[in-house]
């Protein structure tokens, strides 16, 4: 019998890439990898990584590395200690390059003096620096210090592409070999050793500064990781021993003293303290912790001794999850990057063609090929696309890192871009606008029953539910020491209520409309009175009779009104969609300053309403916290999940707001707009730089040395502009 084909599992790997010098390199590697069957790759020039999705079993990681090497670059499998090893390699390479640059600068210094002399006197040579001496000084700069440009150009051309190295190697070689021919073969013409040596040195300086700035741009992850302590004190054999954090296992009992950071995620067994969770949620106020409270790695114990049991360790901690999200966001591409990629992919061949045309035009105009040489070299040097390749990824790196520090976790660069474009934000009520900690305020029993019987049935029907209202009923029953009855045949009716068999009797719990639809008639006057006070009312029936009503109040968060006003000031209309009754919804909307709201909606109704808004041409975001919000979150163009909400909501969302506060949505929109302002500025400067620089160079108005300095500094200025995003601050409550 023929077996059905098995589905191919998709694997993901992030390969560190070496040898890239500009955006054209990243585009070349990406194109090569994407030619492989069923492979999707995105290469990030700023992070020097390739994020690759490939069919496991059909393609091995070694094949991916082979494809990168075939394209003229190198890649390695991620090291076990990951970023630590990569950082050590980069530091060693930076120190090596710094030594080489120092040597190059010392060798180029005589040429700098020579250029100043020529500018002052108008002469083209100086007796104190004879031509043969210039040749001897320029040669090690060209072929030792500048060997990286030749190697990079060779690999790029062998792979069928062209990059920045091709431009630098071609431009400096033309200047060097022309000058060498004048000195050694007696050709007639000026010497341009100073141009070749200065370009190599200045480009080298630019790369050093760029490397240092990029390291600062990617410092967000290192800052997060530094928060976690390296050791922990755990209970062993009746005593306390100190061990490395990596050796802690689930179930180990650890002790945290005042002023110490927590080593892993856990749950408090004994003690009482306040924990600073700002690194996790962005919330500045300490959080009280007692027995049973969850605690998280890298948060700071302010006061009191805590004895905790480890629940999540290693890669499973909340901190590790944040680091993964930040890494994924920094390595992803925003849609705006496609423009830069498209340009950089064809940029170098076009520039070489322009340089040839410049040379031909000047030769035709002057009749002297030596006069045509300088503007052609200047065109090659000024046109390097480095700044273009760094414009988007460096801003994404800094922006996503700033968001993580403020408790705004962004899934990818596309979500970060879309967040700033929304003009409508749909919000849920419970847990989003309100505190999400509702409490039972009123119990109205029907004739012939009592509160204990009502709460016994209600607690039984709410057991196992994640909804905040269910938790309120259960907590109230526990506070009155009322045990829940046994439940069978449980069935949830989405957005309406639940039905089950309680101690063998049919029972219902849900909205007054749900009970009315099942043949029960609640007290309408009592319901209206409670709902007008902003309370949510649920009814309970058992054994064919109505037991009564339970009123639950969930007050508005103190910051919700401020957040709504801030969103409206950003040009975003806030619409509340809730499954609660209209009276309660109207009360909360009025308190929050929301004019547009809809009530008594099922989860699928929320998703349908979001789709309707999108069809009207609106760019819709949705913020929610519960399982019932997942369909609406999935339907929105940008989805925000409250960090204290359900796992389903968080996994569905594009942006997770760790602070569980609507103000964090304001932060997400503000950060998105700030980040993409920087990207547009970077792209504008990169494009304008080349658009203005190339014509000036072709017209002979730009010396190659000045062109080299300007090219080197353009990349540094783009990265520096991105680093200004570190000044962005979240909204203060």
């Amino acid at each position: 019998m023929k077996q059905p084909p098995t589905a191919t599992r998709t694997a993901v790997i992030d390969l560190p890439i070496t040898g890239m010098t500009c955006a054209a390199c990243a585009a070349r590697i990406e194109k090569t990898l994407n030619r492989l069957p069923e492979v999707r790759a995105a290469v990030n020039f700023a992070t020097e990584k390739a994020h690759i999705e490939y069919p496991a079993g059909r393609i091995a990681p070694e094949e991916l590395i082979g494809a990168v090497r075939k394209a003229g670059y190198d890649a390695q499998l991620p090291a076990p200690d990951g970023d630590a090893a990569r950082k050590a390699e980069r530091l060693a390479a930076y120190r090596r390059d710094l030594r080489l640059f120092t040597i190059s600068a010392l060798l180029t210094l005589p040429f700098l003096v020579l250029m100043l002399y020529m500018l002052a006197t108008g002469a083209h040579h100086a007796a104190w620096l004879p031509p043969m001496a210039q040749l001897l000084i320029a040669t090690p700069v060209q072929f030792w210090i500048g060997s990286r440009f030749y190697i990079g150009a060779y690999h790029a051309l062998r792979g069928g592409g062209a990059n920045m190295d091709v431009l630098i190697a071609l431009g400096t070689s033309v200047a060097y070999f022309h000058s060498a021919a004048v000195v050694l073969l007696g050709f007639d013409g000026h010497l341009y050793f100073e141009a070749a040596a200065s370009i190599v040195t200045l480009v080298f300086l630019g790369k050093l500064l760029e490397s240092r700035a990029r390291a600062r741009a990617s410092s967000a992850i290192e800052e997060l990781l530094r928060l976690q302590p390296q050791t922990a004190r755990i209970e062993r054999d009746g005593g306390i021993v100190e061990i490395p954090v990596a050796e802690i296992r689930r179930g180990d009992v650890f002790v945290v003293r005042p002023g110490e950071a927590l080593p892993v995620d856990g749950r408090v067994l004994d003690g009482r303290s306040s924990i600073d969770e700002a690194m996790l949620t962005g919330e500045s106020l300490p959080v009280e912790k007692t027995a049973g409270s969850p605690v998280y790695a890298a948060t700071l114990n302010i006061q009191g001794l805590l004895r905790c049991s480890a629940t999540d360790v290693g890669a499973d901690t909340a901190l590790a999850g944040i680091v993964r999200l930040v890494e994924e966001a920094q390595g992803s591409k925003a849609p705006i990057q496609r423009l830069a990629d498209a340009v950089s992919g064809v940029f170098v061949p076009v520039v070489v063609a322009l340089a040839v045309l410049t040379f031909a035009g000047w030769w035709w105009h002057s009749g002297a090929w030596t006069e045509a040489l300088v503007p052609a070299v200047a065109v090659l040097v000024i046109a390097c696309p480095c700044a273009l390749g760094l414009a988007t990824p460096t801003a994404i790196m800094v922006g996503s890192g700033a968001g993580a520090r403020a408790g705004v976790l962004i899934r990818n660069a596309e979500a970060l871009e879309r967040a700033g474009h929304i003009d409508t934000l749909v919000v849920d009520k419970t847990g989003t606008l309100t505190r999400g900690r509702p409490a039972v305020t009123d119990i109205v029993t029907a004739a012939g029953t009592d509160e204990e019987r009502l709460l016994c049935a209600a607690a039984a029907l709410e057991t196992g539910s994640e909804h905040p209202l269910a938790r309120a009923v259960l907590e109230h029953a526990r506070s009155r020491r009322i045990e829940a009855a046994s439940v069978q045949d449980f069935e949830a009716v989405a957005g309406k209520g639940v039905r089950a068999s309680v101690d063998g009797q049919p029972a219902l719990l849900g909205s007054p409309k749900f009970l009315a639809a099942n043949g029960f008639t609640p007290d309408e006057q009592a319901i209206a009175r409670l709902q007008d006070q902003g309370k949510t009312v649920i009814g309970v029936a058992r054994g064919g009779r109505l037991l009564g009503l339970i009123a639950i109040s969930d007050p508005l968060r103190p910051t919700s009104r401020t957040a709504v006003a801030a969103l409206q000031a950003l040009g975003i209309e806030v619409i509340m969609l809730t499954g609660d009754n209209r009276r309660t919804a109207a009360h909360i909307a009025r308190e929050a300053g929301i004019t547009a709201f809809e009530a008594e909606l099922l989860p699928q109704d929320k998703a349908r309403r979001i789709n309707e808004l999108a069809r009207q041409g609106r760019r819709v975001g949705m913020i929610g916290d519960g399982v019932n919000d997942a369909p609406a979150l999935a339907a929105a163009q940008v989805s925000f999940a409250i960090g204290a909400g359900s796992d389903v909501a968080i996994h569905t969302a594009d942006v997770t707001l760790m602070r569980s506060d609507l103000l964090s949505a304001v932060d997400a929109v503000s950060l998105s707009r700030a980040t993409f302002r920087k990207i547009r500025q970077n792209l504008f400067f990169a494009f304008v730089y080349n658009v203005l620089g190339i014509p000036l160079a072709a017209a002979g108005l730009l010396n190659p040395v000045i062109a080299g300095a300007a090219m080197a500094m353009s990349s540094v200025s783009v990265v520096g502009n991105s680093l200004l995003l570190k000044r962005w601050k979240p909204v203060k409550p």
Side-chain angles (χ1 to χ4, degrees):
M1 183 177 175
K2 188 177 180 180
Q3 296 292 326
T6 56
T8 304
R9 184 176 63 87
T10 300
V12 178
I13 191 171
D14 289 301
L15 291 179
I17 306 290
T18 54
M20 291 193 297
T21 54
C22 66
C25 300
R28 175 68 188 165
I29 298 169
E30 192 170 291
K31 188 181 295 183
T32 302
L33 288 168
N34 283 322
R35 285 183 188 143
L36 297 174
E38 299 182 57
V39 170
R40 292 194 300 274
V43 180
N44 191 313
F45 175 47
T47 59
E48 297 181 314
K49 285 184 180 180
H51 180 77
I52 307 170
E53 297 178 15
Y54 64 98
R58 295 189 189 178
I59 292 181
E62 288 73 18
E63 292 179 67
L64 301 172
I65 293 174
V68 173
R69 289 173 177 165
K70 189 176 179 181
Y73 306 89
D74 199 10
Q76 302 87 29
L77 290 172
D81 51 356
D83 289 331
R86 187 96 168 130
K87 184 182 176 185
E89 289 175 10
R90 284 177 175 172
L91 183 61
Y94 178 82
R95 288 173 175 167
R96 183 174 61 251
D97 287 347
L98 186 60
R99 287 194 296 271
L100 287 174
F101 166 73
T102 303
I103 295 169
S104 184
L106 290 172
L107 290 173
T108 307
L109 187 60
F111 289 119
L112 177 61
V113 176
L114 178 63
M115 283 189 288
L116 293 174
Y117 173 80
M118 289 190 296
L119 287 172
T121 64
H124 286 284
H125 64 278
W128 61 269
L129 193 62
M132 185 57 69
Q134 293 185 40
L135 175 65
L136 293 174
I137 295 172
T139 299
V141 175
Q142 184 72 29
F143 298 108
W144 176 36
I145 308 298
S147 62
R148 64 181 53 214
F149 301 121
Y150 287 103
I151 295 169
Y154 167 74
H155 286 309
L157 294 171
R158 191 190 68 174
N163 62 3
M164 181 205 79
D165 291 329
V166 172
L167 298 179
I168 301 302
L170 187 59
T172 57
S173 294
V174 169
Y176 175 86
F177 285 113
H178 164 76
S179 303
V182 170
V183 173
L184 298 176
L185 302 179
F187 288 175
D188 185 30
H190 300 305
L191 301 182
Y192 297 106
F193 287 122
E194 79 284 353
S198 299
I199 289 168
V200 169
T201 302
L202 287 169
V203 172
F204 211 139
L205 172 62
K207 284 295 173 187
L208 278 174
L209 295 174
E210 178 189 312
S211 175
R212 187 172 180 180
R214 280 160 66 182
R216 287 179 59 201
S218 61
S219 63
I221 292 175
E222 293 175 20
E223 290 174 14
L224 289 171
L225 291 173
R226 278 198 297 268
L227 295 171
Q228 188 171 20
Q230 300 301 307
T231 61
R233 276 181 288 279
I234 68 168
E235 294 182 358
R236 286 274 171 87
D237 302 323
I240 303 293
V241 296
E242 191 167 314
I243 64 170
V245 167
E247 295 180 12
I248 296 182
R249 298 293 177 263
R250 282 189 179 90
D252 283 346
V253 176
F254 61 92
V255 177
V256 186
R257 296 182 299 200
E260 294 180 342
L262 279 88
V264 294
D265 292 0
R267 192 164 294 278
V268 177
L269 297 176
D270 298 305
R272 186 183 187 91
S273 183
S274 296
I275 299 288
D276 181 356
E277 295 185 346
M279 57 71 51
L280 188 69
T281 65
E283 178 60 63
S284 58
L285 294 176
V287 181
E288 289 293 324
K289 300 291 181 180
T290 57
S293 299
V295 290
Y296 303 99
T299 56
L300 185 65
N301 182 22
I302 297 177
Q303 60 186 32
L305 183 72
L306 290 178
R307 181 171 168 268
C308 311
S309 174
T311 55
D312 291 298
V313 300
D316 296 326
T317 63
L319 176 66
I322 291 173
V323 169
R324 277 195 301 274
L325 273 175
V326 174
E327 285 179 329
E328 289 170 9
Q330 290 185 343
S332 61
K333 283 191 176 183
I336 198 172
Q337 175 72 20
R338 293 177 193 139
L339 174 63
D341 288 348
V343 172
S344 63
V346 298
F347 197 77
V348 175
V350 169
V351 168
V352 173
L354 288 173
V356 172
L357 290 174
T358 300
F359 181 82
W362 275 92
W363 194 2
W364 176 81
H365 173 71
S366 65
W369 72 279
T370 54
E371 288 190 27
L373 185 68
V374 173
V377 170
V379 168
L380 290 171
V381 174
I382 194 69
C384 172
C386 294
L388 193 61
L390 291 167
T392 298
T394 52
I396 295 292
M397 289 165 66
V398 179
S400 56
R405 288 191 295 273
V408 178
L409 302 185
I410 298 151
R411 190 173 298 279
N412 52 46
E414 186 174 357
L416 179 61
E417 179 170 351
R418 291 200 309 262
H421 293 157
I422 63 171
D423 54 30
T424 305
L425 182 64
V426 172
V427 299
D428 179 44
K429 179 181 74 69
T430 304
T432 303
L433 289 171
T434 61
R435 291 179 182 271
R437 295 182 178 274
V440 173
T441 57
D442 302 88
I443 298 177
V444 181
T445 57
T449 188
D450 56 33
E451 291 187 2
E452 184 171 344
R453 187 179 177 198
L454 172 60
L455 285 171
C456 179
L461 291 164
E462 295 284 32
T463 300
S465 174
E466 289 187 359
H467 198 281
L469 299 182
R471 289 198 295 268
V473 172
L474 291 169
E475 287 174 7
H476 189 73
R478 279 196 293 269
S479 70
R480 296 183 56 169
R481 303 183 185 278
I482 295 173
E483 294 291 332
S486 61
V487 180
Q488 298 84 33
D489 304 323
F490 182 89
E491 178 191 355
V493 182
K496 296 180 180 179
V498 297
R499 57 166 59 94
S501 177
V502 176
D503 285 342
Q505 293 181 319
L508 293 171
L509 180 145
S511 67
K513 283 190 175 182
F514 178 58
L515 266 70
N518 284 273
F520 299 96
T521 308
D523 185 341
E524 294 292 343
Q525 287 187 338
I527 293 170
R529 175 177 54 80
L530 294 167
Q531 289 177 346
D532 285 340
Q533 297 171 18
K535 298 175 181 178
T536 300
V537 181
I538 57 175
V540 184
R542 176 181 172 188
R545 58 175 299 201
L546 183 69
L547 298 183
L549 305 171
I550 299 176
I552 301 169
S553 176
D554 187 12
L556 197 73
R557 291 182 188 273
T559 56
S560 289
R561 189 174 184 87
T562 303
V564 169
L567 288 164
Q568 291 168 343
L570 292 171
I572 297 170
E573 181 183 7
V574 182
I575 300 174
M576 184 180 78
L577 300 183
T578 178
D580 214 335
N581 68 84
R582 184 169 184 79
R583 283 194 177 95
T584 303
H587 179 83
I588 293 296
R590 189 165 51 251
E591 282 194 326
I594 297 173
T595 56
F597 70 92
E598 293 183 38
E600 301 176 6
L601 298 177
L602 300 176
Q604 58 268 31
D605 294 331
K606 294 181 183 180
R608 176 182 51 77
R609 186 69 183 104
I610 287 173
N611 288 327
E612 288 174 359
L613 290 167
R615 283 194 293 271
Q616 294 171 14
R618 299 207 192 185
R619 296 183 291 271
V620 186
M622 163 70 186
I623 177 169
D625 73 326
V627 174
N628 62 323
D629 295 323
L633 289 169
Q637 290 161 289
V638 187
S639 51
F640 304 84
I642 294 290
S646 70
D647 289 342
V648 176
I650 292 170
H651 292 156
T652 305
D654 298 312
V655 182
T656 300
L657 309 175
M658 299 300 293
R659 201 167 68 200
S660 298
D661 190 322
L662 192 58
L663 275 176
S664 288
V666 181
D667 292 339
V669 173
S670 167
L671 177 62
S672 170
R673 294 183 180 183
T675 300
F676 282 86
R677 271 198 304 273
K678 286 298 174 193
I679 289 175
R680 284 190 290 270
Q681 290 169 8
N682 289 346
L683 289 174
F684 173 79
F685 291 137
F687 279 122
V688 167
Y689 162 80
N690 284 306
V691 167
L692 294 178
I694 292 175
L696 289 173
L701 301 175
L702 207 59
N703 183 283
V705 176
I706 298 174
M711 183 274 290
M713 295 313 297
S714 68
S715 297
V716 178
S717 64
V718 163
V719 179
N721 189 45
S722 296
L723 284 170
L724 293 177
L725 269 174
K726 288 193 170 186
R727 297 180 179 178
W728 174 86
K729 300 294 182 186
V731 179
K732 290 187 178 180

